[in-house]
Amino acid sequence: MSRQVQGYLYLALAMLTVGSTVIASKLIASGLPPFAATALRFALAFPVLLVLMRATGVRLPKLSRHDRLILAIQAGAGSVGYTTLLISGLGLTSAADAGVVIGTLPVVSAAISILLLRERPKPALLVAVALATAGVLSIAVTPDAAGGSLAGNGLIFGAVICEGLFILLNKKLKTDIPPLAQSTLMAGIGFVVAVIPAVFEAPFAQDISTGAAVAVAYYALVPTVAGFLLWYAGAARVSGTEAALFTAVAPVSAVMLAFLILGEPIGLNQVAGIACVLAAVLGLAAAGSREAMTISGGR
């Protein structure tokens, strides 16, 4: 398996965990304030990541002021911003509507990649992005995605922008940071950013439900620990625009998990959307394999 195809696999798995954050956040929204839940998420994830660093002998390299700033923005936007906005939005809108809004993530991420990173995607990649976007739009136009609110959907879209920045700012780092070390940094900085507003939320906090507590623990261990590691490992192997394509997997994951866990129905539009997204991802992986074989043969 080539390095590029490995990257595709890691990115797809990472986005599966991102899609599951919709379900977890819906459960959390009913029992915990957003910043408190975010701080608890990182409080659980940070020591796990530290233990993994120690066990594997991974060390943090010396970072420049530029890289420290990029990491702080990543943690503030993607780690804290995405989580708090998603939880807040799901307190006002449905998981189905959240999946619709998160479906804009491939377009937002691709736009950030082209504008911020100044990448020039190949025509084949643009076709794949278009196919993935068509799949997401197929999900978005389903008549079942109703019952939300304008404010809630606006908060979800804010989370999408934060996630797009989180995904692509990694390319602006000048220092090569091991994925595990970078994941640990994200969790540590995210906790520091979230814990201060969480203190002010304390007077408004209600009794923590069992479902919310389990959802936070899941969020901490799966999307945070495993998701961070998978994403950083994958992003290191592909371009920013290619990484943006795989964000289309997140809404597909959200729809499937909404069906399995929340009992929401899946119609023909969702099936067509899933087919388009999978075709885009598999087609890109196949193209990467052919390119790797061509390069290998040329040598």
Side-chain angles (χ1 to χ4, degrees):
M1 183 183 297
S2 70
R3 176 180 173 84
Q4 188 178 34
V5 175
Q6 285 179 351
Y8 295 157
L9 177 61
Y10 294 151
L11 294 174
L13 292 174
M15 285 297 107
L16 285 174
T17 71
V18 171
S20 72
T21 64
V22 174
I23 310 303
S25 297
K26 185 66 177 177
L27 297 173
I28 293 169
S30 63
L32 273 173
F35 283 103
T38 302
L40 183 57
R41 167 197 175 191
F42 291 123
L44 293 173
F46 185 58
V48 175
L49 291 166
L50 282 177
V51 169
L52 288 174
M53 279 188 66
R54 185 175 182 83
T56 57
V58 173
R59 296 185 177 222
L60 182 67
K62 186 177 181 180
L63 300 174
S64 65
R65 181 179 300 177
H66 170 271
D67 285 350
R68 290 197 296 268
L69 177 61
I70 292 295
L71 290 171
I73 296 173
Q74 272 192 300
S79 298
V80 177
Y82 175 81
T83 307
T84 55
L85 288 171
L86 185 62
I87 293 172
S88 299
L90 281 163
L92 301 172
T93 193
S94 65
D97 275 358
V100 169
V101 178
I102 287 177
T104 64
L105 185 54
V107 178
V108 172
S109 297
I112 293 174
S113 177
I114 294 170
L115 295 175
L116 184 62
L117 305 183
R118 297 179 182 178
E119 294 183 355
R120 293 185 178 181
K122 297 178 182 179
L125 181 58
L126 290 177
V127 171
V129 171
L131 184 59
T133 302
V136 168
L137 290 177
S138 179
I139 296 172
V141 298
T142 174
D144 294 329
S149 72
L150 181 61
N153 291 336
L155 289 170
I156 301 296
F157 186 70
V160 168
I161 295 175
C162 288
E163 182 69 9
L165 289 171
F166 173 80
I167 286 168
L168 297 168
L169 276 175
N170 202 54
K171 296 292 181 180
K172 303 295 286 186
L173 290 170
K174 297 179 179 179
T175 305
D176 186 17
I177 307 174
L180 181 56
Q182 195 163 357
S183 302
T184 306
L185 280 173
M186 288 296 99
I189 299 171
F191 173 76
V192 172
V193 173
V195 73
I196 296 175
V199 172
F200 292 96
E201 280 183 337
F204 306 98
Q206 302 175 353
D207 293 336
I208 301 176
S209 66
T210 302
V214 171
V216 169
Y218 167 83
Y219 206 149
L221 298 178
V222 180
T224 304
V225 176
F228 275 3
L229 294 176
L230 287 167
W231 183 263
Y232 283 130
R237 291 166 167 81
V238 302
S239 71
T241 311
E242 286 176 310
L245 169 65
F246 280 85
T247 60
V249 176
V252 176
S253 172
V255 170
M256 294 299 296
L257 292 173
F259 169 74
L260 294 173
I261 298 175
L262 301 181
E264 296 184 3
I266 295 180
L268 291 178
N269 285 353
Q270 286 93 339
V271 173
I274 291 170
C276 286
V277 170
L278 291 179
V281 173
L282 293 175
L284 185 59
S289 296
R290 288 195 298 270
E291 182 178 349
M293 290 177 64
T294 301
I295 294 174
S296 178
R299 290 179 181 176

